[in-house]
Amino acid sequence: VEDREVHYISLQGVIGETDIDDRYGDLDSRTDSDISEIPASSDRTPEILKKALSGLSSRWKNWWIRGILTLTMISLFFLIIYMGSFMLMLLVLGIQVKCFHEIITIGYRVYHSYDLPWFRTLSWYFLLCVNYFFYGETVADYFATFVQREEQLQFLIRYHRFISFALYLAGFCMFVLSLVKKHYRLQFYMFAWTHVTLLITVTQSHLVIQNLFEGMIWFLVPISSVICNDITAYLFGFFFGRTPLIKLSPKKTWEGFIGGFFSTVVFGFIAAYVLSKYQYFVCPVEYRSDVNSFVTECEPSELFQLQTYSLPPFLKAVLRQERVSLYPFQIHSIALSTFASLIGPFGGFFASGFKRAFKIKDFANTIPGHGGIMDRFDCQYLMATFVHVYITSFIRGPNPSKVLQQLLVLQPEQQLNIYKTLKTHLIEKGILQPALKV
C-alpha cells in the first residue's frame, strides 16, 4: 500500500509538473519563426529630399540620403566639440538614453500582447538608478573641490554607494511584487533584457566619459576612427564590393572591409598628428572651482611632444630618409584605428544578428537612411571599452591633479600627517634638504 501511495504521489507530481510546463512553458518552446514580425517603421525622410531624389533608383537614392545626413551629423558633431567638454558629456548621455529606449522598445513590441505589469516603468527606473550610481562616482572623482563647498553634496557623496544600492533594491522589490503567475518566465526574460541593455548602454557610455576626462583626443580619435571606418567601408563596398563578408550582414563585403581598414589607419594617423598640436585636445579635462567650469590647460606630456624615430630599413628605401619626427600618440593611434576597423565592426555584426532575431531592419527610424541611433553607435560601445582598457593598461600613470583633489577633502589632521610623511620621504631621497637645527 505504501509503495502504491508513493507511486501515486510521484505520478501526481509528474502530472503536476507537466501541467505547469504546458501552461507556462510555451514561451521556451517558441522558435525564431514564432516571433511575430515588428511592423516596419515609417519613412521619415524630409519631403524636400524625396522630391529632389525622386528620379533616382532606390540604391542611389539611399546613397544620397545617407551621404547628406552623414555630413549633417558630422557638422553638428564639430559644433558640439567647439562648445566644449560639458556639451560632449551631455551628448553622450543623450545618445545613451536614446539607445536604451530603442532596445527596450523592441522588447516591449515583441511581447506587447502579454501586457506585462510595470515592465517599462521598471526599465526606466533601473536606468535612472544605474546612471545615478555611475555619474555619482564621476562627481566624487573629478569634482571633489566643488563637493567640498556644498554640505548637501558631501552627504550624498559620502553615502553614495549605499544610496545607489538602496534605490536598486527598491526596484528589485517592485519587480518581485509585480510577478504574475502565468508570466513568471517571460517576466524574468524581460528582467534580464533590461539588465543586459543597461550593461550595453550605460556602462559603456560611462567609459566614454572616463576616456574624455583623460583628454579630448582619447575621445575624438577612437570615435572618429569608427565613423571613418563606417563611411569608407560603405563607399568601398558600394563601388567595388563583390565578395560577401558575413551572412549576418549580406551587404557587407570583403572589399569594403579591407578598404575601410587601410583608410581608417591612415585617417587615425593623420588625425592624431593634427590634434596632438593643441592643448585643447591633449590636456586632461579638469573642473576648476575658481572659474566654475571645465578647463583643458596643462603642459603636454611626452605622449604629445615630437620625438625623433629611426626608420626600419624597408621604410628608409621607400621614404628616402633615415629619421622621422612623430608624436608618440600617433603610434598609439595605429592600435586604436586597427581595433576600430578590424574588431569594431563585430559590434555591428552583433547588432545585425540581434535585428535578424527579431525580424527588424533597424532599431528605429530616427535618422533617415541610417535607422536608429543604436544603428550608428553599435560599434562605438565596443570601441569605448577597448580605449578604456588600453589607457589603464598602457598609458595612465598616477594623476597628480586627482590625488590633490582627494587630499583637499581630508580633515586638517590627516592632511598634516600626509605632509609630514611626504616631507620625510623627500628628505630621505635627497630631493629636500633637512632643516638646520639652531
Side-chain angles (χ1 to χ4, degrees):
V1 174
E2 290 180 358
D3 290 342
R4 288 180 180 177
E5 288 180 354
V6 171
H7 178 71
Y8 173 77
I9 293 172
S10 301
L11 184 61
Q12 190 179 38
V14 170
I15 294 173
E17 290 175 1
T18 304
D19 183 52
I20 291 172
D21 284 342
D22 288 341
R23 248 187 296 174
Y24 308 128
D26 61 325
L27 183 67
D28 287 342
S29 62
R30 295 173 68 185
T31 62
D32 288 348
S33 60
D34 296 326
I35 296 177
S36 58
E37 190 168 349
I38 297 176
S41 301
S42 58
D43 185 8
R44 300 182 64 177
T45 305
E47 289 297 327
I48 187 170
L49 274 180
K50 287 183 179 179
K51 292 180 180 179
L53 304 174
S54 59
L56 299 176
S57 65
S58 60
R59 183 169 182 262
W60 280 100
K61 186 185 297 183
N62 184 62
W63 191 89
W64 277 105
I65 292 173
R66 285 175 68 99
I68 293 170
L69 269 297
T70 297
L71 292 175
T72 303
M73 289 188 290
I74 290 175
S75 301
L76 291 174
F77 186 53
F78 281 142
L79 177 62
I80 294 174
I81 292 171
Y82 175 77
M83 295 172 70
S85 306
F86 183 70
M87 293 305 298
L88 284 172
M89 294 178 198
L90 291 181
L91 174 66
V92 172
L93 178 60
I95 290 172
Q96 172 222 112
V97 172
K98 188 65 176 76
C99 289
F100 181 85
H101 170 258
E102 290 177 359
I103 300 175
I104 287 298
T105 299
I106 292 173
Y108 179 73
R109 286 178 178 175
V110 170
Y111 299 111
H112 71 282
S113 60
Y114 289 87
D115 192 24
L116 298 182
W118 298 2
F119 167 58
R120 286 197 294 185
T121 302
L122 283 175
S123 296
W124 286 101
Y125 177 80
F126 282 126
L127 175 68
L128 180 66
C129 291
V130 177
N131 268 310
Y132 176 81
F133 170 75
F134 279 121
Y135 280 93
E137 293 287 307
T138 300
V139 170
D141 286 341
Y142 296 99
F143 299 84
T145 53
F146 175 75
V147 171
Q148 184 68 12
R149 300 183 317 199
E150 305 289 337
E151 286 190 22
Q152 294 178 342
L153 288 179
Q154 287 182 32
F155 173 82
L156 292 175
I157 293 301
R158 183 176 181 181
Y159 300 104
H160 171 67
R161 295 193 175 185
F162 180 80
I163 294 172
S164 300
F165 177 71
L167 289 172
Y168 178 83
L169 201 60
F172 179 81
C173 292
M174 285 192 289
F175 167 74
V176 174
L177 293 174
S178 72
L179 290 173
V180 178
K181 186 175 182 181
K182 63 179 180 179
H183 293 322
Y184 284 159
R185 293 183 181 181
L186 183 59
Q187 285 181 284
F188 278 104
Y189 287 153
M190 300 314 297
F191 183 77
W193 182 299
T194 299
H195 282 67
V196 171
T197 305
L198 291 172
L199 177 65
I200 293 173
T201 58
V202 183
T203 306
Q204 309 304 318
S205 64
H206 173 70
L207 296 181
V208 171
I209 292 178
Q210 293 290 308
N211 299 339
L212 178 59
F213 275 108
E214 294 296 326
M216 204 178 292
I217 196 169
W218 291 104
F219 173 85
L220 293 178
V221 170
I223 284 181
S224 59
S225 293
V226 172
I227 294 173
C228 174
N229 186 69
D230 279 347
I231 294 173
T232 54
Y234 174 76
L235 292 176
F236 275 96
F238 185 87
F239 290 106
F240 309 109
R242 296 291 182 274
T243 314
L245 175 64
I246 187 171
K247 290 183 179 180
L248 283 173
S249 296
K251 294 183 180 180
K252 298 289 192 301
T253 63
W254 275 105
E255 291 81 2
F257 186 75
I258 296 171
F261 166 70
F262 286 106
S263 302
T264 303
V265 171
V266 172
F267 169 83
F269 194 78
I270 296 173
Y273 176 79
V274 174
L275 297 180
S276 294
K277 296 180 177 181
Y278 303 98
Q279 285 190 13
Y280 183 74
F281 297 114
V282 303
C283 291
V285 177
E286 297 178 357
Y287 176 79
R288 285 266 299 275
S289 57
D290 54 339
V291 295
N292 194 32
S293 67
F294 292 98
V295 295
T296 50
E297 299 175 358
C298 68
E299 181 66 30
S301 66
E302 292 184 358
L303 202 61
F304 306 105
Q305 296 178 9
L306 281 173
Q307 307 287 341
T308 302
Y309 296 93
S310 297
L311 291 174
F314 71 94
L315 284 179
K316 289 180 182 179
V318 176
L319 300 177
R320 295 183 180 179
Q321 57 184 20
E322 295 187 355
R323 296 178 179 274
V324 65
S325 295
L326 297 173
Y327 292 101
F329 180 76
Q330 287 181 268
I331 300 173
H332 293 291
S333 74
I334 297 175
L336 300 179
S337 300
T338 300
F339 184 91
S341 53
L342 295 185
I343 307 300
F346 280 85
F349 301 152
F350 176 86
S352 296
F354 180 89
K355 289 183 286 187
R356 281 179 170 273
F358 294 99
K359 300 180 181 179
I360 56 176
K361 183 177 182 293
D362 297 309
F363 282 94
N365 62 342
T366 309
I367 311 170
H370 291 268
I373 298 295
M374 191 64 196
D375 290 288
R376 292 276 57 84
F377 289 90
D378 46 14
C379 301
Q380 295 287 3
Y381 286 126
L382 197 61
M383 188 71 194
T385 305
F386 172 74
V387 174
H388 185 75
V389 171
Y390 189 89
I391 291 174
T392 54
S393 301
F394 305 111
I395 304 298
R396 182 186 293 163
N399 188 336
S401 176
K402 191 172 180 180
V403 172
L404 180 61
Q405 287 187 348
Q406 292 173 336
L407 288 174
L408 292 176
V409 300
L410 297 177
Q411 297 297 323
E413 298 80 7
Q414 296 172 316
Q415 293 174 341
L416 190 58
N417 288 334
I418 292 174
Y419 166 75
K420 291 178 180 178
T421 303
L422 182 60
K423 182 179 179 181
T424 302
H425 175 71
L426 294 176
I427 290 174
E428 290 176 352
K429 296 188 69 174
I431 299 175
L432 290 180
Q433 296 297 324
L436 297 176
K437 295 182 180 180
V438 180

mmCIF file of all heavy atoms in Angstrom, residues 87-123:
data_model
loop_
_atom_site.group_PDB
_atom_site.id
_atom_site.type_symbol
_atom_site.label_atom_id
_atom_site.label_comp_id
_atom_site.label_asym_id
_atom_site.label_seq_id
_atom_site.Cartn_x
_atom_site.Cartn_y
_atom_site.Cartn_z
ATOM 1 N N MET A 87 29.373 69.859 -23.043
ATOM 2 C CA MET A 87 28.370 69.560 -24.060
ATOM 3 C C MET A 87 28.582 68.164 -24.638
ATOM 4 O O MET A 87 27.618 67.476 -24.991
ATOM 5 C CB MET A 87 28.413 70.609 -25.170
ATOM 6 C CG MET A 87 27.974 71.985 -24.729
ATOM 7 S SD MET A 87 26.328 72.007 -23.990
ATOM 8 C CE MET A 87 25.317 71.458 -25.355
ATOM 9 N N LEU A 88 29.841 67.731 -24.737
ATOM 10 C CA LEU A 88 30.116 66.371 -25.210
ATOM 11 C C LEU A 88 29.571 65.341 -24.217
ATOM 12 O O LEU A 88 29.047 64.298 -24.617
ATOM 13 C CB LEU A 88 31.619 66.173 -25.395
ATOM 14 C CG LEU A 88 32.230 66.819 -26.643
ATOM 15 C CD1 LEU A 88 33.744 66.709 -26.605
ATOM 16 C CD2 LEU A 88 31.693 66.179 -27.913
ATOM 17 N N MET A 89 29.685 65.639 -22.916
ATOM 18 C CA MET A 89 29.143 64.731 -21.903
ATOM 19 C C MET A 89 27.624 64.645 -22.015
ATOM 20 O O MET A 89 27.044 63.556 -21.909
ATOM 21 C CB MET A 89 29.536 65.206 -20.504
ATOM 22 C CG MET A 89 31.025 65.131 -20.227
ATOM 23 S SD MET A 89 31.433 65.753 -18.590
ATOM 24 C CE MET A 89 33.191 66.045 -18.791
ATOM 25 N N LEU A 90 26.979 65.793 -22.237
ATOM 26 C CA LEU A 90 25.523 65.780 -22.413
ATOM 27 C C LEU A 90 25.136 65.004 -23.674
ATOM 28 O O LEU A 90 24.126 64.302 -23.689
ATOM 29 C CB LEU A 90 24.998 67.211 -22.500
ATOM 30 C CG LEU A 90 25.054 68.044 -21.215
ATOM 31 C CD1 LEU A 90 24.478 69.436 -21.459
ATOM 32 C CD2 LEU A 90 24.297 67.361 -20.079
ATOM 33 N N LEU A 91 25.960 65.132 -24.724
ATOM 34 C CA LEU A 91 25.700 64.373 -25.956
ATOM 35 C C LEU A 91 25.773 62.875 -25.693
ATOM 36 O O LEU A 91 24.897 62.115 -26.148
ATOM 37 C CB LEU A 91 26.720 64.769 -27.023
ATOM 38 C CG LEU A 91 26.674 63.963 -28.326
ATOM 39 C CD1 LEU A 91 25.359 64.219 -29.062
ATOM 40 C CD2 LEU A 91 27.863 64.298 -29.222
ATOM 41 N N VAL A 92 26.784 62.440 -24.952
ATOM 42 C CA VAL A 92 26.929 61.020 -24.625
ATOM 43 C C VAL A 92 25.729 60.536 -23.826
ATOM 44 O O VAL A 92 25.184 59.451 -24.073
ATOM 45 C CB VAL A 92 28.238 60.774 -23.855
ATOM 46 C CG1 VAL A 92 28.305 59.333 -23.348
ATOM 47 C CG2 VAL A 92 29.443 61.069 -24.744
ATOM 48 N N LEU A 93 25.298 61.341 -22.858
ATOM 49 C CA LEU A 93 24.137 60.971 -22.049
ATOM 50 C C LEU A 93 22.880 60.859 -22.909
ATOM 51 O O LEU A 93 22.092 59.906 -22.767
ATOM 52 C CB LEU A 93 23.919 62.011 -20.938
ATOM 53 C CG LEU A 93 22.697 61.791 -20.036
ATOM 54 C CD1 LEU A 93 22.792 60.455 -19.309
ATOM 55 C CD2 LEU A 93 22.550 62.941 -19.044
ATOM 56 N N GLY A 94 22.680 61.820 -23.811
ATOM 57 C CA GLY A 94 21.511 61.780 -24.680
ATOM 58 C C GLY A 94 21.505 60.557 -25.588
ATOM 59 O O GLY A 94 20.469 59.906 -25.776
ATOM 60 N N ILE A 95 22.668 60.226 -26.156
ATOM 61 C CA ILE A 95 22.778 59.040 -27.015
ATOM 62 C C ILE A 95 22.508 57.773 -26.220
ATOM 63 O O ILE A 95 21.821 56.856 -26.688
ATOM 64 C CB ILE A 95 24.175 58.992 -27.665
ATOM 65 C CG1 ILE A 95 24.308 60.113 -28.696
ATOM 66 C CG2 ILE A 95 24.423 57.633 -28.326
ATOM 67 C CD1 ILE A 95 25.698 60.272 -29.255
ATOM 68 N N GLN A 96 23.032 57.736 -24.996
ATOM 69 C CA GLN A 96 22.813 56.565 -24.141
ATOM 70 C C GLN A 96 21.329 56.339 -23.882
ATOM 71 O O GLN A 96 20.822 55.217 -24.013
ATOM 72 C CB GLN A 96 23.539 56.774 -22.811
ATOM 73 C CG GLN A 96 23.243 55.715 -21.766
ATOM 74 C CD GLN A 96 23.056 56.318 -20.384
ATOM 75 O OE1 GLN A 96 21.980 56.317 -19.804
ATOM 76 N NE2 GLN A 96 24.156 56.853 -19.834
ATOM 77 N N VAL A 97 20.609 57.407 -23.519
ATOM 78 C CA VAL A 97 19.175 57.289 -23.214
ATOM 79 C C VAL A 97 18.402 56.851 -24.454
ATOM 80 O O VAL A 97 17.511 55.996 -24.379
ATOM 81 C CB VAL A 97 18.632 58.628 -22.668
ATOM 82 C CG1 VAL A 97 17.114 58.578 -22.534
ATOM 83 C CG2 VAL A 97 19.262 58.941 -21.318
ATOM 84 N N LYS A 98 18.747 57.410 -25.620
ATOM 85 C CA LYS A 98 18.036 57.055 -26.855
ATOM 86 C C LYS A 98 18.306 55.600 -27.246
ATOM 87 O O LYS A 98 17.384 54.878 -27.668
ATOM 88 C CB LYS A 98 18.466 57.981 -27.990
ATOM 89 C CG LYS A 98 17.624 57.808 -29.259
ATOM 90 C CD LYS A 98 16.185 58.227 -29.018
ATOM 91 C CE LYS A 98 15.338 58.152 -30.288
ATOM 92 N NZ LYS A 98 14.963 56.798 -30.671
ATOM 93 N N CYS A 99 19.548 55.143 -27.108
ATOM 94 C CA CYS A 99 19.858 53.744 -27.410
ATOM 95 C C CYS A 99 19.108 52.807 -26.485
ATOM 96 O O CYS A 99 18.568 51.776 -26.918
ATOM 97 C CB CYS A 99 21.368 53.506 -27.300
ATOM 98 S SG CYS A 99 22.359 54.268 -28.607
ATOM 99 N N PHE A 100 19.054 53.150 -25.208
ATOM 100 C CA PHE A 100 18.300 52.343 -24.240
ATOM 101 C C PHE A 100 16.829 52.288 -24.636
ATOM 102 O O PHE A 100 16.204 51.220 -24.619
ATOM 103 C CB PHE A 100 18.453 52.947 -22.842
ATOM 104 C CG PHE A 100 17.730 52.189 -21.768
ATOM 105 C CD1 PHE A 100 18.313 51.092 -21.154
ATOM 106 C CD2 PHE A 100 16.453 52.567 -21.365
ATOM 107 C CE1 PHE A 100 17.643 50.392 -20.166
ATOM 108 C CE2 PHE A 100 15.778 51.877 -20.381
ATOM 109 C CZ PHE A 100 16.373 50.784 -19.780
ATOM 110 N N HIS A 101 16.284 53.428 -25.014
ATOM 111 C CA HIS A 101 14.875 53.497 -25.404
ATOM 112 C C HIS A 101 14.597 52.605 -26.607
ATOM 113 O O HIS A 101 13.580 51.889 -26.654
ATOM 114 C CB HIS A 101 14.503 54.944 -25.725
ATOM 115 C CG HIS A 101 13.156 55.100 -26.354
ATOM 116 N ND1 HIS A 101 12.991 55.317 -27.713
ATOM 117 C CD2 HIS A 101 11.906 55.040 -25.829
ATOM 118 C CE1 HIS A 101 11.707 55.389 -27.986
ATOM 119 N NE2 HIS A 101 11.021 55.237 -26.875
ATOM 120 N N GLU A 102 15.498 52.610 -27.592
ATOM 121 C CA GLU A 102 15.278 51.824 -28.804
ATOM 122 C C GLU A 102 15.294 50.329 -28.512
ATOM 123 O O GLU A 102 14.460 49.580 -29.034
ATOM 124 C CB GLU A 102 16.340 52.177 -29.839
ATOM 125 C CG GLU A 102 16.174 53.573 -30.425
ATOM 126 C CD GLU A 102 17.273 53.959 -31.400
ATOM 127 O OE1 GLU A 102 18.190 53.137 -31.606
ATOM 128 O OE2 GLU A 102 17.209 55.069 -31.955
ATOM 129 N N ILE A 103 16.240 49.881 -27.670
ATOM 130 C CA ILE A 103 16.328 48.444 -27.373
ATOM 131 C C ILE A 103 15.149 47.989 -26.510
ATOM 132 O O ILE A 103 14.549 46.939 -26.749
ATOM 133 C CB ILE A 103 17.665 48.110 -26.679
ATOM 134 C CG1 ILE A 103 18.834 48.484 -27.595
ATOM 135 C CG2 ILE A 103 17.732 46.628 -26.335
ATOM 136 C CD1 ILE A 103 20.200 48.296 -26.956
ATOM 137 N N ILE A 104 14.792 48.789 -25.513
ATOM 138 C CA ILE A 104 13.671 48.436 -24.639
ATOM 139 C C ILE A 104 12.363 48.435 -25.428
ATOM 140 O O ILE A 104 11.487 47.592 -25.213
ATOM 141 C CB ILE A 104 13.597 49.417 -23.447
ATOM 142 C CG1 ILE A 104 14.735 49.126 -22.457
ATOM 143 C CG2 ILE A 104 12.261 49.312 -22.733
ATOM 144 C CD1 ILE A 104 14.685 47.750 -21.829
ATOM 145 N N THR A 105 12.228 49.361 -26.373
ATOM 146 C CA THR A 105 11.012 49.427 -27.185
ATOM 147 C C THR A 105 10.835 48.167 -28.017
ATOM 148 O O THR A 105 9.710 47.672 -28.193
ATOM 149 C CB THR A 105 11.047 50.661 -28.098
ATOM 150 O OG1 THR A 105 11.123 51.840 -27.296
ATOM 151 C CG2 THR A 105 9.799 50.734 -28.967
ATOM 152 N N ILE A 106 11.943 47.615 -28.521
ATOM 153 C CA ILE A 106 11.862 46.358 -29.271
ATOM 154 C C ILE A 106 11.308 45.255 -28.374
ATOM 155 O O ILE A 106 10.417 44.494 -28.774
ATOM 156 C CB ILE A 106 13.246 45.966 -29.816
ATOM 157 C CG1 ILE A 106 13.684 46.950 -30.905
ATOM 158 C CG2 ILE A 106 13.220 44.539 -30.381
ATOM 159 C CD1 ILE A 106 15.104 46.742 -31.371
ATOM 160 N N GLY A 107 11.829 45.171 -27.148
ATOM 161 C CA GLY A 107 11.321 44.167 -26.218
ATOM 162 C C GLY A 107 9.846 44.349 -25.932
ATOM 163 O O GLY A 107 9.077 43.376 -25.898
ATOM 164 N N TYR A 108 9.439 45.605 -25.765
ATOM 165 C CA TYR A 108 8.030 45.866 -25.479
ATOM 166 C C TYR A 108 7.145 45.507 -26.673
ATOM 167 O O TYR A 108 6.064 44.945 -26.515
ATOM 168 C CB TYR A 108 7.842 47.338 -25.107
ATOM 169 C CG TYR A 108 6.409 47.699 -24.822
ATOM 170 C CD1 TYR A 108 5.796 47.285 -23.644
ATOM 171 C CD2 TYR A 108 5.651 48.441 -25.731
ATOM 172 C CE1 TYR A 108 4.477 47.597 -23.370
ATOM 173 C CE2 TYR A 108 4.330 48.758 -25.474
ATOM 174 C CZ TYR A 108 3.751 48.336 -24.289
ATOM 175 O OH TYR A 108 2.437 48.641 -24.025
ATOM 176 N N ARG A 109 7.604 45.799 -27.882
ATOM 177 C CA ARG A 109 6.797 45.495 -29.077
ATOM 178 C C ARG A 109 6.686 43.999 -29.309
ATOM 179 O O ARG A 109 5.641 43.487 -29.703
ATOM 180 C CB ARG A 109 7.424 46.160 -30.302
ATOM 181 C CG ARG A 109 7.218 47.659 -30.371
ATOM 182 C CD ARG A 109 7.918 48.245 -31.579
ATOM 183 N NE ARG A 109 7.693 49.666 -31.683
ATOM 184 C CZ ARG A 109 8.273 50.441 -32.604
ATOM 185 N NH1 ARG A 109 9.117 49.905 -33.477
ATOM 186 N NH2 ARG A 109 8.027 51.726 -32.641
ATOM 187 N N VAL A 110 7.796 43.287 -29.060
ATOM 188 C CA VAL A 110 7.777 41.847 -29.282
ATOM 189 C C VAL A 110 6.796 41.173 -28.334
ATOM 190 O O VAL A 110 6.063 40.264 -28.709
ATOM 191 C CB VAL A 110 9.193 41.255 -29.104
ATOM 192 C CG1 VAL A 110 9.142 39.732 -29.084
ATOM 193 C CG2 VAL A 110 10.099 41.719 -30.243
ATOM 194 N N TYR A 111 6.767 41.625 -27.090
ATOM 195 C CA TYR A 111 5.945 40.953 -26.073
ATOM 196 C C TYR A 111 4.755 41.807 -25.618
ATOM 197 O O TYR A 111 4.231 41.615 -24.530
ATOM 198 C CB TYR A 111 6.809 40.599 -24.863
ATOM 199 C CG TYR A 111 7.948 39.665 -25.202
ATOM 200 C CD1 TYR A 111 9.273 40.095 -25.157
ATOM 201 C CD2 TYR A 111 7.709 38.354 -25.587
ATOM 202 C CE1 TYR A 111 10.322 39.238 -25.479
ATOM 203 C CE2 TYR A 111 8.744 37.496 -25.916
ATOM 204 C CZ TYR A 111 10.045 37.937 -25.857
ATOM 205 O OH TYR A 111 11.074 37.093 -26.182
ATOM 206 N N HIS A 112 4.326 42.758 -26.447
ATOM 207 C CA HIS A 112 3.274 43.685 -26.028
ATOM 208 C C HIS A 112 1.967 42.975 -25.726
ATOM 209 O O HIS A 112 1.190 43.410 -24.880
ATOM 210 C CB HIS A 112 3.050 44.741 -27.113
ATOM 211 C CG HIS A 112 2.388 44.222 -28.341
ATOM 212 N ND1 HIS A 112 3.079 43.491 -29.293
ATOM 213 C CD2 HIS A 112 1.104 44.301 -28.794
ATOM 214 C CE1 HIS A 112 2.264 43.154 -30.266
ATOM 215 N NE2 HIS A 112 1.063 43.621 -30.002
ATOM 216 N N SER A 113 1.701 41.858 -26.404
ATOM 217 C CA SER A 113 0.415 41.177 -26.212
ATOM 218 C C SER A 113 0.290 40.552 -24.824
ATOM 219 O O SER A 113 -0.809 40.213 -24.398
ATOM 220 C CB SER A 113 0.245 40.085 -27.274
ATOM 221 O OG SER A 113 1.287 39.132 -27.179
ATOM 222 N N TYR A 114 1.430 40.405 -24.126
ATOM 223 C CA TYR A 114 1.380 39.775 -22.796
ATOM 224 C C TYR A 114 1.003 40.765 -21.697
ATOM 225 O O TYR A 114 0.721 40.373 -20.580
ATOM 226 C CB TYR A 114 2.733 39.137 -22.470
ATOM 227 C CG TYR A 114 3.014 37.906 -23.299
ATOM 228 C CD1 TYR A 114 3.599 38.007 -24.549
ATOM 229 C CD2 TYR A 114 2.688 36.644 -22.826
ATOM 230 C CE1 TYR A 114 3.855 36.884 -25.319
ATOM 231 C CE2 TYR A 114 2.933 35.510 -23.578
ATOM 232 C CZ TYR A 114 3.516 35.642 -24.829
ATOM 233 O OH TYR A 114 3.758 34.524 -25.580
ATOM 234 N N ASP A 115 1.061 42.060 -22.012
ATOM 235 C CA ASP A 115 0.658 43.093 -21.052
ATOM 236 C C ASP A 115 1.366 42.901 -19.708
ATOM 237 O O ASP A 115 0.738 42.774 -18.659
ATOM 238 C CB ASP A 115 -0.859 43.066 -20.857
ATOM 239 C CG ASP A 115 -1.350 44.303 -20.111
ATOM 240 O OD1 ASP A 115 -0.649 45.330 -20.163
ATOM 241 O OD2 ASP A 115 -2.411 44.223 -19.464
ATOM 242 N N LEU A 116 2.691 42.878 -19.735
ATOM 243 C CA LEU A 116 3.456 42.684 -18.507
ATOM 244 C C LEU A 116 3.339 43.911 -17.605
ATOM 245 O O LEU A 116 3.552 45.035 -18.053
ATOM 246 C CB LEU A 116 4.937 42.437 -18.831
ATOM 247 C CG LEU A 116 5.252 41.192 -19.645
ATOM 248 C CD1 LEU A 116 6.751 41.075 -19.841
ATOM 249 C CD2 LEU A 116 4.719 39.960 -18.959
ATOM 250 N N PRO A 117 3.013 43.713 -16.325
ATOM 251 C CA PRO A 117 2.862 44.856 -15.424
ATOM 252 C C PRO A 117 4.210 45.508 -15.109
ATOM 253 O O PRO A 117 5.198 44.836 -14.847
ATOM 254 C CB PRO A 117 2.240 44.228 -14.166
ATOM 255 C CG PRO A 117 2.649 42.792 -14.207
ATOM 256 C CD PRO A 117 2.721 42.434 -15.667
ATOM 257 N N TRP A 118 4.257 46.826 -15.169
ATOM 258 C CA TRP A 118 5.388 47.647 -14.721
ATOM 259 C C TRP A 118 6.654 47.448 -15.554
ATOM 260 O O TRP A 118 7.713 47.916 -15.148
ATOM 261 C CB TRP A 118 5.726 47.366 -13.269
ATOM 262 C CG TRP A 118 4.644 47.687 -12.293
ATOM 263 C CD1 TRP A 118 3.387 48.161 -12.575
ATOM 264 C CD2 TRP A 118 4.708 47.565 -10.879
ATOM 265 N NE1 TRP A 118 2.664 48.329 -11.428
ATOM 266 C CE2 TRP A 118 3.452 47.968 -10.362
ATOM 267 C CE3 TRP A 118 5.678 47.143 -9.991
ATOM 268 C CZ2 TRP A 118 3.169 47.976 -9.009
ATOM 269 C CZ3 TRP A 118 5.405 47.144 -8.633
ATOM 270 C CH2 TRP A 118 4.171 47.553 -8.145
ATOM 271 N N PHE A 119 6.567 46.755 -16.681
ATOM 272 C CA PHE A 119 7.813 46.451 -17.411
ATOM 273 C C PHE A 119 8.552 47.723 -17.811
ATOM 274 O O PHE A 119 9.715 47.919 -17.483
ATOM 275 C CB PHE A 119 7.509 45.599 -18.646
ATOM 276 C CG PHE A 119 8.661 45.507 -19.605
ATOM 277 C CD1 PHE A 119 9.887 45.007 -19.189
ATOM 278 C CD2 PHE A 119 8.532 45.954 -20.908
ATOM 279 C CE1 PHE A 119 10.968 44.928 -20.066
ATOM 280 C CE2 PHE A 119 9.604 45.885 -21.786
ATOM 281 C CZ PHE A 119 10.821 45.379 -21.362
ATOM 282 N N ARG A 120 7.874 48.614 -18.535
ATOM 283 C CA ARG A 120 8.552 49.826 -18.990
ATOM 284 C C ARG A 120 8.888 50.753 -17.827
ATOM 285 O O ARG A 120 9.945 51.392 -17.812
ATOM 286 C CB ARG A 120 7.690 50.549 -20.029
ATOM 287 C CG ARG A 120 7.697 49.842 -21.381
ATOM 288 C CD ARG A 120 7.216 50.738 -22.494
ATOM 289 N NE ARG A 120 5.811 51.082 -22.350
ATOM 290 C CZ ARG A 120 5.139 51.785 -23.251
ATOM 291 N NH1 ARG A 120 5.734 52.212 -24.346
ATOM 292 N NH2 ARG A 120 3.862 52.056 -23.073
ATOM 293 N N THR A 121 8.005 50.837 -16.850
ATOM 294 C CA THR A 121 8.268 51.698 -15.698
ATOM 295 C C THR A 121 9.520 51.254 -14.964
ATOM 296 O O THR A 121 10.399 52.076 -14.638
ATOM 297 C CB THR A 121 7.076 51.674 -14.728
ATOM 298 O OG1 THR A 121 5.901 52.094 -15.420
ATOM 299 C CG2 THR A 121 7.320 52.586 -13.533
ATOM 300 N N LEU A 122 9.639 49.951 -14.707
ATOM 301 C CA LEU A 122 10.812 49.437 -14.007
ATOM 302 C C LEU A 122 12.074 49.557 -14.865
ATOM 303 O O LEU A 122 13.163 49.810 -14.336
ATOM 304 C CB LEU A 122 10.589 47.974 -13.611
ATOM 305 C CG LEU A 122 9.681 47.756 -12.403
ATOM 306 C CD1 LEU A 122 9.430 46.267 -12.192
ATOM 307 C CD2 LEU A 122 10.294 48.352 -11.140
ATOM 308 N N SER A 123 11.940 49.403 -16.162
ATOM 309 C CA SER A 123 13.104 49.537 -17.040
ATOM 310 C C SER A 123 13.701 50.930 -16.932
ATOM 311 O O SER A 123 14.915 51.094 -16.779
ATOM 312 C CB SER A 123 12.703 49.244 -18.491
ATOM 313 O OG SER A 123 12.278 47.914 -18.635
#
